[in-house]
């Protein structure tokens, strides 16, 4: 190989020119199919549930293979330079901002209905006939669990930065365990509640807000679980651990949203 050919193959900039990939297009199709099938399911179409589950499975598969390629580009191919990581950080920050606006819509709907109850619900809040949940039982316990998980994920972050591998593994495992416990209590609370999604504006706002938060907890748990296996396989180091860092940011966002949910919907909205 001549010197001219070698010089052509050498990358002279710190940016990552991503190779063509089918996964973003496939993921967008699956997400669109999930939205359409979700509407069909909510309107009790027979194929709605089957189409929704199938679309969601394909979405998970496309996300897995897409992020597998990203991990390979980072750990094996070394494309994630400092400038690339900075761009990824900006992307995660913008994503979290979009999630904040997403939950802002649910809080807007809740306070719009609760601050000025209409005559259709008896001009009172909670509406007449709704047996609200006691905020100082499972909701308060879940608050403590989620706050504790926020402490353990911060512990893990500091352990990774300080190259304390054993502490990082233990703290991340505890974070995932606490997240699973939180989800279990949330499912138990839904099962024990006397009202459902179809029970007027209170049921709609309650289950949409807390349900989507629960979905975000599941997504965060999956993300932290992936980070756990990457940590065990020595793919997260002191210098390169943005995959975990973005998951930790996301988890802290989930913590903060739950605090607003507990104070506004469980405590204030149920009193």
């Amino acid at each position: 190989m001549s010197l001219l050919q070698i010089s052509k193959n050498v990358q002279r900039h710190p940016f990552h020119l991503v190779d063509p990939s089918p996964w973003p297009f496939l993921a967008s199709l699956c997400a669109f199919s999930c939205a359409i099938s979700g509407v069909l399911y909510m309107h009790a179409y027979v194929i709605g549930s089957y189409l929704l589950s199938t679309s969601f499975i394909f979405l998970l598969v496309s996300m897995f293979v897409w992020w597998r390629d990203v991990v390979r580009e980072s750990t094996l191919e070394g494309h994630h330079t400092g400038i690339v990581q900075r761009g990824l950080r900006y992307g995660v920050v913008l994503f979290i901002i979009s999630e904040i606006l997403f939950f802002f819509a649910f809080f807007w709907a809740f306070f719009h209905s609760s601050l000025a109850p209409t005559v259709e619900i008896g001009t009172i809040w909670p509406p007449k006939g709704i047996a609200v949940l006691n905020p100082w039982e499972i909701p308060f316990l879940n608050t403590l669990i989620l706050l504790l998980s926020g402490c353990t994920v911060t512990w893990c972050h500091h352990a990774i930065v300080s190259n304390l591998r054993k502490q990082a593994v233990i703290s991340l495992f505890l974070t995932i365990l606490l997240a699973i416990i939180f989800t279990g209590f949330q499912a138990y609370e839904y099962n024990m509640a006397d009202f459902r999604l179809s029970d007027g504006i209170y049921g709609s706002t309650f289950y949409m807000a807390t349900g989507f938060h629960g979905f975000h907890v599941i997504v965060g748990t999956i993300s932290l679980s992936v980070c756990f296996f990457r940590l065990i396989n020595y793919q997260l180091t002191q210098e390169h651990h943005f995959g975990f860092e973005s998951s930790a940011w996301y988890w802290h966002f989930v913590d903060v949203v739950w605090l607003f949910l507990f104070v506004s919907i469980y405590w204030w909205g149920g009193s």
Side-chain angles (χ1 to χ4, degrees):
M1 183 179 292
S2 64
L3 292 177
L4 180 60
Q5 289 175 321
I6 295 176
S7 63
K8 288 182 178 179
N9 294 330
V10 174
Q11 182 171 304
R12 300 180 182 277
H13 57 81
F15 302 99
H16 178 206
L17 302 180
V18 183
D19 296 328
S21 173
W23 310 130
F25 179 71
L26 180 61
S28 63
L29 286 181
C30 294
F32 179 74
S33 179
C34 284
I36 298 299
S37 57
V39 173
L40 294 177
Y41 172 74
M42 293 178 186
H43 285 78
Y45 280 83
V46 177
I47 64 171
S49 59
Y50 300 105
L51 186 59
L52 178 60
S53 57
T54 304
S55 302
F56 187 70
I57 291 173
F58 275 102
L59 179 61
L60 291 178
V61 172
S62 61
M63 291 167 59
F64 173 80
V65 292
W66 187 1
W67 290 337
R68 177 207 60 188
D69 291 348
V70 174
V71 170
R72 185 188 66 246
E73 293 165 354
S74 171
T75 57
L76 301 180
E77 299 177 3
H79 288 306
H80 286 191
T81 62
I83 292 181
V84 174
Q85 292 186 57
R86 186 191 307 169
L88 292 173
R89 285 184 172 87
Y90 291 156
V92 172
V93 169
L94 291 175
F95 169 71
I96 292 178
I97 291 175
S98 71
E99 292 281 23
I100 292 173
L101 298 177
F102 177 79
F103 278 99
F104 181 78
F106 293 126
F107 283 109
W108 187 309
F110 174 79
F111 283 111
H112 173 78
S113 303
S114 59
L115 291 176
T118 61
V119 67
E120 287 81 6
I121 61 174
T123 65
I124 58 172
W125 191 268
K128 194 172 183 180
I130 296 292
V132 298
L133 298 168
N134 188 345
W136 303 110
E137 293 180 352
I138 293 180
F140 182 68
L141 178 60
N142 265 350
T143 302
L144 297 179
I145 292 173
L146 210 55
L147 290 177
L148 183 58
S149 70
C151 296
T152 55
V153 77
T154 303
W155 174 21
C156 181
H157 192 189
H158 285 282
I160 292 176
V161 173
S162 303
N163 201 24
L164 301 174
R165 175 175 168 78
K166 184 177 180 181
Q167 290 191 25
V169 172
I170 294 174
S171 56
L172 188 52
F173 175 78
L174 291 176
T175 304
I176 297 171
L177 179 62
L178 290 169
I180 295 173
I181 294 174
F182 175 91
T183 304
F185 276 124
Q186 191 76 16
Y188 175 76
E189 178 187 82
Y190 282 179
N191 185 55
M192 297 301 295
D194 292 329
F195 57 92
R196 293 293 179 260
L197 179 66
S198 58
D199 288 334
I201 186 62
Y202 185 87
S204 299
T205 54
F206 176 87
Y207 281 108
M208 288 297 288
T210 61
F212 267 109
H213 176 269
F215 174 75
H216 282 70
V217 170
I218 294 174
V219 172
T221 305
I222 295 173
S223 180
L224 290 173
S225 299
V226 173
C227 291
F228 180 76
F229 288 109
R230 293 189 64 196
L231 181 62
I232 292 177
N233 292 321
Y234 295 90
Q235 294 183 2
L236 300 178
T237 64
Q238 285 179 286
E239 296 79 14
H240 290 273
H241 56 270
F242 175 73
F244 168 78
E245 194 173 2
S246 60
S247 300
W249 292 354
Y250 186 83
W251 196 250
H252 289 308
F253 158 75
V254 169
D255 283 351
V256 173
V257 170
W258 176 258
L259 291 177
F260 280 99
L261 287 173
F262 176 77
V263 172
S264 61
I265 294 181
Y266 282 101
W267 179 53
W268 181 82
S271 58

